[in-house]
Amino acid sequence: MLKVNEIFFSIQGESTFAGLPFVFVRLSRCNLRCQYCDTPYAYDEGREMFLSEIIERVEQFPCDFVEITGGEPLLQAEVFELAARLVSAGKIVLVETNGTLDITPLRPPIIRIVDVKCPGSGEGESFLLTNLRDLRPSDNVKFVLSDKADFDWAVNFVKKNDLTGKCPLLFSPVFGKLNYSQLAEWIKSSGLPIQLQIQLHKIIWDEGKRGV
């Protein structure tokens, strides 16, 4: 069983899949407390569900794309079985993780969206560096930025760990805190193949609205 916070059908707001219809399975519990967290309700809220229940619910929506997110989904051991079963059911499966736990059990064709926490999150030392060795071209590495200091830190992280060319690198501003155009200028001046990412779901719908 897994403790599930919510299951909903929406438009993917982030990652290289942004703009596509997706079914989201948000699991409960998180081991971090980022200062800008937009889903604190996932820390504790939720109910226990059998994997078969989750899959049945997912299959009610007319969509082959599924993202398992949180909270931090890898805190619950059965998430790996859920992802595998969804793949067997013909779904294209993404798992979004905060990068603090081992991602290697998520085998192809599962796509990992791996978040590297910058200092502005308050959790800047949390990333499990061994995860970088297992990155695949289909994965995404994401940095959420609060300010220029976070941007400089993220650029240094990319260079130090030779991430260019390994998989898409996404830089996302903290919603409502960092100006999109300012981040765009920093990216242009960096000389790196960084992809600017904005949270489409917060632009399409009201910020803070659940189930989108």
Side-chain angles (χ1 to χ4, degrees):
M1 297 184 75
L2 287 166
K3 188 173 183 181
V4 179
N5 178 268
E6 56 183 348
I7 300 174
F8 59 95
F9 184 39
S10 187
I11 295 295
Q12 175 65 261
E14 304 178 75
S15 82
T16 51
F17 291 80
L20 288 168
F22 259 77
V23 180
F24 292 85
V25 178
R26 186 183 306 284
L27 300 185
S28 305
R29 304 174 188 154
C30 190
N31 57 331
L32 300 183
R33 293 294 183 268
C34 297
Q35 293 182 12
Y36 50 71
C37 181
D38 54 7
T39 55
Y41 55 85
Y43 293 163
D44 301 303
E45 292 181 22
R47 69 181 183 91
E48 300 289 338
M49 296 180 68
F50 289 107
L51 300 191
S52 58
E53 290 181 82
I54 299 170
I55 294 169
E56 181 180 1
R57 176 64 176 151
V58 167
E59 290 183 334
Q60 291 178 1
F61 300 106
C63 184
D64 288 332
F65 292 100
V66 181
E67 178 170 310
I68 304 171
T69 185
E72 172 45 53
L74 302 193
L75 287 172
Q76 300 190 58
E78 283 200 75
V79 68
F80 305 110
E81 178 64 19
L82 173 63
R85 289 196 194 182
L86 287 168
V87 168
S88 295
K91 304 299 183 182
I92 298 168
V93 179
L94 282 61
V95 177
E96 181 160 1
T97 172
N98 61 28
T100 65
L101 302 168
D102 184 16
I103 65 172
T104 57
L106 295 167
R107 303 315 305 159
I110 297 165
I111 298 162
R112 287 90 55 95
I113 311 300
V114 185
D115 196 345
V116 180
K117 299 299 181 183
C118 298
S121 70
E123 299 284 2
E125 300 299 321
S126 62
F127 190 76
L128 183 64
L129 287 172
T130 54
N131 280 332
L132 298 179
R133 298 200 295 261
D134 196 57
L135 290 175
R136 304 188 289 263
S138 60
D139 296 329
N140 292 183
V141 174
K142 180 177 77 170
F143 300 82
V144 178
L145 313 171
S146 298
D147 50 30
K148 184 59 161 57
D150 273 357
F151 177 83
D152 292 339
W153 183 93
V155 166
N156 182 64
F157 188 97
V158 168
K159 292 179 177 178
K160 181 179 178 181
N161 294 287
D162 194 25
L163 296 184
T164 301
K166 289 188 176 179
C167 65
L169 305 173
L170 311 178
F171 278 27
S172 179
V174 174
F175 191 82
K177 185 171 183 179
L178 181 58
N179 184 273
Y180 298 148
S181 60
Q182 179 64 79
L183 179 54
E185 292 301 325
W186 294 341
I187 290 174
K188 286 165 57 181
S189 66
S190 73
L192 296 174
I194 295 166
Q195 185 171 339
L196 174 60
Q197 172 182 267
I198 60 176
Q199 294 176 298
L200 288 181
H201 54 291
K202 291 186 177 180
I203 297 173
I204 298 170
W205 294 283
D206 292 337
E207 179 190 2
K209 184 177 180 181
R210 294 173 62 163
V212 297

